[in-house]
Amino acid sequence: MNVINKILDRYKFVLHHVWNICSKPDATLRYESLLNTFYGKKILQQFILPLAEILLVVAFLSTLLYFDLNLASAIVKSIFTYLIFIVSFGGSMFLVRRLLQYRFKIEIDMRNIMLMVASLMAVVFVVKFFGYIFPGLFFVSLFYLYNFYLVWVMSEGVIDIPEEKRNECMVLVSFIVVATPFVVEKLLNSLIPNL
C-alpha cells in the first residue's frame, strides 16, 4: 500500500502543478511561487519524467485504440513519445539559454531556465495529452498560444527581461518551446519512417 501511495503522490504533484499553470498562471508562475513549488525537488526527475511517463501510457493506449498498428508498433510509438518529451525539454533549455545569452545579453541561472521551460512544457504536455485522447480535435493545438502569456508572466522575476524587449522574448521563447518537440519528433520518425 505504501508503494501505491508513493506512486500516487508522484503524479498528484505533477498534475496539480500543471492544473495550476493552466488555471491560475499569475499566482503559480511568480518566481517565489515557483521556488516554493519546486523547493527540494529535482525538476527533471520529479516533474518532466512523470509527465513523460503519463504521455507514454496515453500514447500507447491511444495508438492501440485509434490507429491500426500492432502491439510492437504501439510500444515503439509510445517510447518515442516519451523520448520526444524529455529531449524537447533538454533541447528547449539549451536553446532558451543561448537565446537569452546572445540575443538579450542576459546571464540567467540554469535553475531559473529549468523553472521556466518546465512550466512551458506543461502546455506541451496538455496539448499532447488531449491530442492523443481526441486525435481528431486539431484545434487543441491552439493551446500552444497560451505559452506566449506564460512567458510574459515569467519575464519579470524568473528571467527579468526589460519591458521593451518582452514582446520579442515572448515570441522567441514560445517558438522554441513549441517548435522543439516537432523537430525532435521529425528526427526520431526519420529513424523509423513507417511509424
Side-chain angles (χ1 to χ4, degrees):
M1 195 60 145
N2 196 17
V3 173
I4 294 172
N5 286 337
K6 278 187 171 183
I7 292 171
L8 291 177
D9 286 342
R10 174 178 170 90
Y11 297 108
K12 182 179 170 185
F13 162 75
V14 168
L15 294 174
H16 180 71
H17 189 59
V18 169
W19 173 257
N20 286 342
I21 288 170
C22 295
S23 64
K24 45 186 177 181
D26 290 324
T28 305
L29 298 178
R30 294 292 175 214
Y31 186 57
E32 297 79 19
S33 179
L34 280 173
L35 288 179
N36 288 336
T37 299
F38 286 105
Y39 179 75
K41 295 190 182 312
K42 296 178 179 173
I43 294 172
L44 177 64
Q45 290 88 342
Q46 294 174 297
F47 187 70
I48 296 297
L49 290 180
L51 288 178
E53 291 161 7
I54 293 168
L55 285 179
L56 180 137
V57 171
V58 172
F60 176 74
L61 295 174
S62 173
T63 304
L64 286 179
L65 290 174
Y66 297 119
F67 302 101
D68 191 24
L69 294 176
N70 60 27
L71 183 63
S73 295
I75 291 170
V76 171
K77 191 165 181 66
S78 60
I79 290 171
F80 271 27
T81 300
Y82 178 81
L83 292 174
I84 289 166
F85 194 78
I86 294 168
V87 172
S88 297
F89 172 69
S92 295
M93 275 187 14
F94 174 79
L95 293 171
V96 167
R97 185 172 191 200
R98 292 291 178 239
L99 173 75
L100 295 174
Q101 284 176 335
Y102 296 114
R103 178 72 181 159
F104 298 104
K105 308 293 187 237
I106 297 174
E107 280 296 327
I108 304 288
D109 183 52
M110 199 60 186
R111 176 83 173 167
N112 290 6
I113 292 174
M114 286 182 84
L115 288 171
M116 182 175 70
V117 173
S119 298
L120 297 174
M121 290 298 289
V123 172
V124 174
F125 167 79
V126 169
V127 171
K128 296 285 187 191
F129 182 86
F130 285 107
Y132 282 121
I133 292 178
F134 307 109
L137 296 179
F138 65 91
F139 59 84
V140 171
S141 297
L142 292 175
F143 192 59
Y144 280 129
L145 296 174
Y146 192 56
N147 269 342
F148 289 103
Y149 179 68
L150 298 183
V151 174
W152 182 266
V153 170
M154 291 184 284
S155 64
E156 184 179 347
V158 178
I159 54 175
D160 288 328
I161 297 292
E163 195 163 340
E164 65 274 4
K165 296 183 178 181
R166 282 190 192 159
N167 287 338
E168 182 183 5
C169 177
M170 180 178 64
V171 170
L172 294 174
V173 169
S174 298
F175 177 76
I176 286 171
V177 173
V178 171
T180 303
F182 287 110
V183 172
V184 172
E185 184 173 6
K186 292 294 181 198
L187 290 173
L188 283 175
N189 284 338
S190 68
L191 298 175
I192 303 177
N194 293 334
L195 280 181

